Amino acid sequence: MKAALAVVLAVVALAAGPAGARPGPAHVEVVARDGGFALLRDGAPYVIRGAGGDGSLEALAAAGGNSVRTWGVGPDTPALLDEAAALGLTVTVGLWLGHPRHGFDYGDEAAVRAQLERARADVLRLKDHPALLLWGVGNEMEGFEKGDDPRVWDAVDAVAAMIAREDPHHPPMVVTAEIGGERVAMVEKRCPHVAIHGINSYGGLPSLAERYRAAGGTKPWIVTEFGPPGVWELPKPPFGGPAEPTSTAKAAAYRRGWEAIAAAPGSLGGYAFTWGAKREVTATWYGMFLASSEKLGAVDALTELWTGRPPEDRCPTIGDISLDGGQRVLSPGDRVTARVTAEDPDGDALAVTWELRGEAPDGPPGGDESPPTRAYPEALAATPDGAAVEVALPAGRGGLYRLYAVARDGRGGAAVATLPLTVDGPDAPPPAPQAELPLVVYGDGAGRDAPYAPSGWMGEVGAIAMDPADTSNPALGATSLRVDYRTGGGWGGVVWQSPAGDWGDRPGGLDLSGAQVLSVWARGARGGERVTFLVGLLGPDKPFHDSARRTF
């Protein structure tokens, strides 16, 4: 069971409120140099030592980083730019473009035009900020197959051409999922206004420069995401969930990634992923920090590469988790003992904690945030030193679980190892985790653990335009969502889904029992607008349907 939130909209419009202009933008350009390219910022060479994510910018600056990347413009983007400027950092501001897998139709001229106008509004609002470095046009909007839909690339170039007209100081960069299929050819042939090719690359990064040239790439390029091998790049296990590298092994992967970037001709630098914590496939696969804010070994690796010296206090190192007896398939109710080894290079005493969580059989598609899974604290009994733990697997149901071991040094550093567990038993979906109330779905205080995303577009989707960065007149705090419905008839709606893009075929959502009130503030531009709010949408014909349905 899961709960979904649906909003069906007829007409809603709020007045726009552009932020005040900021004089004196830095002038950024790409120039040919020594048979390759160089990025110049106010005439000085600028190699990007960057990261993408919502972690501490102060920590990024301390690690020797000089730039941060965003994937879109939101209510906090102006404040992010201000903080970056104060710390001497730059920002590549992303302009999010719709994904067909999320329901965006690049054959819908009205929707594509509305997307372009939203991007224009963001460019005009932020283009004069002194921390702005580049515009990131989209992120993997071409999908994960051949990437050869010409309508997508024509829309990308239209945004890039708009940027070239409206902001001559900051070049536009398109961001693609690696360079397979027709991506390079499409950018070269259909995107003449794109100045830089941004490439998200993980396991294939060491050979990226050679492969890019072989594919016919002539534009300068930036590695817009790099980190440990992606789940899709590892051998599929014969049973159980994917084998996640330890944080110590990931630190070595980040080191290799940056060394490949630094050595590649034509590269303008790169952005590590993710500067912060991200729950994707597992709770820790891509995060360079824990959700509790401790840094992991990847931060230390980049600090040494970027500053030329290791950090003053280094993270612990950790080995793989092992099971006594080496079982690979377990039964409901089994009791097993797991062990892990961890050391601290500075001699700090370590505290090791364990956690058992359920795991969905399939991770989210295309980098979407994974919904939180249920924890089983009652199933664990650790030894006093934390080096081992007895695990009592839940009785009565099979499925996938993951065991986490986290070693902390008490000084802001940590290391993590995980072990997927397969339990051969009755196939029943895991219960949804209990929501921490009050739960903010959209608004100030909506954190990463709120899994609901406005991804289910219905009805006249081309007539709907949503601007999550509108700050003109919020009812409370600083966050408001502007929604325009640009037609005189029909209806359109947007569903807040968990996982994003799911219509009841995958587990997700939160257990909202105990919630008594849903609060929504809405204001029409003229008055008389008709808006219907739905709580719950999916009926019992779906395997993972909503547990309640209300309309008001």
Side-chain angles (χ1 to χ4, degrees):
M1 300 283 185
K2 61 182 176 182
L5 300 178
V7 181
V8 180
L9 307 157
V11 179
V12 180
L14 302 180
R22 295 177 182 273
H27 180 71
V28 180
E29 60 182 327
V30 179
V31 298
R33 178 171 291 181
D34 299 328
F37 297 96
L39 188 67
L40 303 183
R41 183 169 183 256
D42 283 339
Y46 194 88
V47 176
I48 295 170
R49 303 187 303 273
D54 59 3
S56 164
L57 295 189
E58 187 174 354
L60 179 59
N66 62 7
S67 190
V68 65
R69 176 194 170 203
T70 78
W71 283 257
V73 174
D76 58 347
T77 303
L80 175 75
L81 285 160
D82 289 344
E83 183 182 3
L87 292 167
L89 304 176
T90 64
V91 183
T92 288
V93 173
L95 300 171
W96 184 260
L97 301 186
H99 289 206
R101 66 186 176 86
H102 291 161
F104 190 87
D105 182 5
Y106 278 89
D108 185 329
E109 294 182 3
V112 172
R113 186 166 54 252
Q115 177 173 258
L116 172 63
E117 291 309 313
R118 289 195 297 275
R120 187 193 310 276
D122 289 332
V123 168
L124 292 175
R125 185 159 59 101
L126 301 174
K127 67 184 181 69
D128 291 326
H129 199 289
L132 180 61
L133 181 69
L134 302 169
W135 295 106
V137 181
N139 183 80
E140 301 183 351
M141 64 278 127
E142 77 280 6
F144 301 104
E145 301 300 329
K146 290 185 178 181
D148 60 350
D149 186 341
R151 301 172 301 178
V152 172
W153 302 109
D154 291 347
V156 166
D157 194 60
V159 174
M162 175 274 294
I163 293 170
R165 291 191 302 269
E166 303 289 1
D167 181 10
H169 297 294
H170 304 103
M173 170 180 67
V174 68
V175 180
T176 65
E178 252 283 346
I179 58 170
E182 298 299 314
R183 286 167 179 79
V184 175
M186 285 290 179
V187 172
E188 292 287 330
K189 294 176 183 178
R190 305 193 76 96
C191 300
H193 295 95
V194 167
I196 301 168
H197 194 152
I199 304 167
N200 296 340
S201 184
Y202 291 86
L205 180 52
S207 64
L208 179 60
E210 181 180 353
R211 290 186 292 114
Y212 181 68
R213 289 193 300 271
T218 64
K219 295 179 186 288
W221 52 275
I222 293 169
V223 179
T224 37
E225 290 180 16
F226 73 94
V231 175
W232 66 93
E233 296 174 313
L234 297 177
K236 186 174 178 61
F239 45 78
E244 177 181 359
T246 67
S247 60
T248 301
K250 292 176 193 173
Y254 279 93
R255 177 181 292 276
R256 290 192 300 269
W258 180 258
E259 288 173 343
I261 291 169
S267 166
L268 304 180
Y271 289 94
F273 183 83
T274 177
W275 192 261
K278 187 185 183 192
R279 193 178 52 241
E280 182 183 335
V281 182
T282 77
T284 54
W285 197 294
Y286 297 103
M288 300 171 72
F289 293 79
L290 296 177
S292 51
S293 78
E294 291 92 349
K295 66 171 182 168
L296 298 170
V299 177
D300 287 358
L302 292 182
T303 298
E304 185 171 2
L305 290 165
W306 288 345
T307 67
R309 60 186 184 278
E312 186 174 326
D313 187 74
R314 293 167 291 176
C315 290
T317 60
I318 197 166
D320 290 318
I321 300 173
S322 62
L323 288 184
D324 287 0
Q327 300 102 313
R328 304 308 302 265
V329 179
L330 306 167
S331 299
D334 275 356
R335 290 180 176 270
V336 295
T337 298
R339 304 180 187 276
V340 75
T341 58
E343 298 179 352
D344 189 86
D346 304 310
D348 296 329
L350 298 179
V352 180
T353 57
W354 296 83
E355 185 174 46
L356 180 69
R357 284 190 169 273
E359 186 161 301
D362 297 305
D368 291 344
E369 185 95 355
S370 297
T373 56
R374 180 179 174 180
Y376 296 86
E378 71 282 358
L380 302 177
T383 58
D385 64 357
V389 66
E390 184 179 74
V391 183
L393 292 164
R397 65 170 298 272
L400 301 181
Y401 298 83
R402 189 169 293 266
L403 185 63
Y404 295 80
V406 178
R408 294 177 171 88
D409 64 7
R411 302 179 63 185
V416 61
T418 80
L419 179 68
L421 301 175
T422 301
V423 178
D424 185 12
D427 187 13
Q434 186 74 38
E436 183 177 342
L437 301 176
L439 173 70
V440 179
V441 176
Y442 185 86
D444 292 352
R448 298 184 66 87
D449 288 339
Y452 300 100
S455 54
W457 291 53
M458 307 182 301
E460 300 285 348
V461 297
I464 304 171
M466 296 204 309
D467 180 6
D470 182 78
T471 58
S472 57
N473 195 11
L476 295 171
T479 304
S480 63
L481 173 68
R482 170 176 169 159
V483 183
D484 294 291
Y485 186 69
R486 296 168 175 167
T487 186
W491 66 276
V494 181
V495 185
W496 267 249
Q497 297 172 309
S498 172
D502 178 61
W503 294 95
D505 300 310
R506 292 183 286 146
L510 296 173
D511 181 350
L512 298 173
S513 59
Q516 301 295 320
V517 176
L518 172 65
S519 297
V520 180
W521 287 268
R523 178 187 298 110
R526 297 182 301 273
E529 295 86 353
R530 296 178 59 191
V531 183
T532 300
F533 296 94
L534 306 179
V535 179
L537 183 69
L538 304 174
D541 59 314
K542 287 292 188 178
F544 301 99
H545 58 82
D546 297 321
S547 55
R549 301 176 72 177
R550 300 286 188 274
T551 301
F552 61 99

